[in-house]
Amino acid sequence: MNALTVLSLAAVAVCSVAQMPWYPGLYGAYPGLHPWFRSGMPLIPQATMKAMGPVPMAYNMAPIAAMAPIYSQYGAQNEFGQYSFGYNAGLSARNEMRDVFGNVRGSYNYLDTDGKVQTQQYVSDALGYRVSGTNLPEYTPEVAAARAAHQAAHKEATAATSAAPKTP
């Protein structure tokens, strides 16, 4: 597809320059850039070139249209509470599904202000809501130490509770 586009644009450029070789076309109004002028052979007599006057700057190429992003969406559900949906909107996308047990899984991504694609994935089930993503902050040494201290305190409290005498 890309090779066909390049070849067709090259054919259009060659055909248009061949019809009017004195027209500046792709090379602009700079005779030193055009390969015919570098050979030292003038294409038309000098007197005719002086009689023509100034040549406007123009391009003799066909305009190239930008590729449009692909937009799509889908959705489905049934009588058992299952569903799935999603979309693709060019710079962002999302999908989510729920199974018959109520577990939800999904992900989404988007282009942030720095031009990076950020992706998040999430799960909601019997173990709670969990998320992972490319833009979540990393644990600093202070946060890691505080989490370790909290975990140790939790283990001590659990051990103290299980060692306490049980009353009937």
Side-chain angles (χ1 to χ4, degrees):
M1 176 69 182
N2 289 337
L4 181 61
T5 304
V6 170
L7 287 175
S8 61
L9 288 176
V12 168
V14 168
C15 291
S16 62
V17 171
Q19 291 172 4
M20 297 184 291
W22 61 88
Y23 189 71
L26 294 173
Y27 296 98
Y30 303 104
L33 296 178
H34 202 285
W36 290 330
F37 287 108
R38 281 189 295 211
S39 67
M41 296 175 46
L43 297 176
I44 54 178
Q46 201 68 12
T48 309
M49 289 178 88
K50 288 181 182 177
M52 278 179 27
V55 179
M57 286 285 290
Y59 295 98
N60 57 353
M61 284 183 50
I64 300 172
M67 287 292 292
I70 298 172
Y71 295 101
S72 63
Q73 64 181 8
Y74 68 93
Q77 65 183 28
N78 66 12
E79 62 274 4
F80 301 115
Q82 299 173 320
Y83 68 82
S84 66
F85 70 89
Y87 69 88
N88 178 358
L91 299 177
S92 67
R94 179 177 180 198
N95 64 18
E96 182 175 300
M97 65 169 285
R98 179 177 187 237
D99 63 15
V100 73
F101 303 110
N103 302 322
V104 177
R105 297 177 187 275
S107 68
Y108 62 94
N109 61 27
Y110 61 93
L111 190 67
D112 69 0
T113 56
D114 296 329
K116 297 179 183 175
V117 176
Q118 301 293 342
T119 302
Q120 281 70 37
Q121 298 174 347
Y122 55 92
V123 176
S124 177
D125 57 10
L127 300 176
Y129 183 79
R130 299 177 307 278
V131 65
S132 66
T134 56
N135 65 345
L136 297 177
E138 306 258 339
Y139 289 135
T140 62
E142 294 83 13
V143 172
R147 288 176 57 94
H150 175 75
Q151 186 67 27
H154 186 276
K155 284 182 182 178
E156 287 176 17
T158 304
T161 306
S162 62
K166 297 182 182 178
T167 57

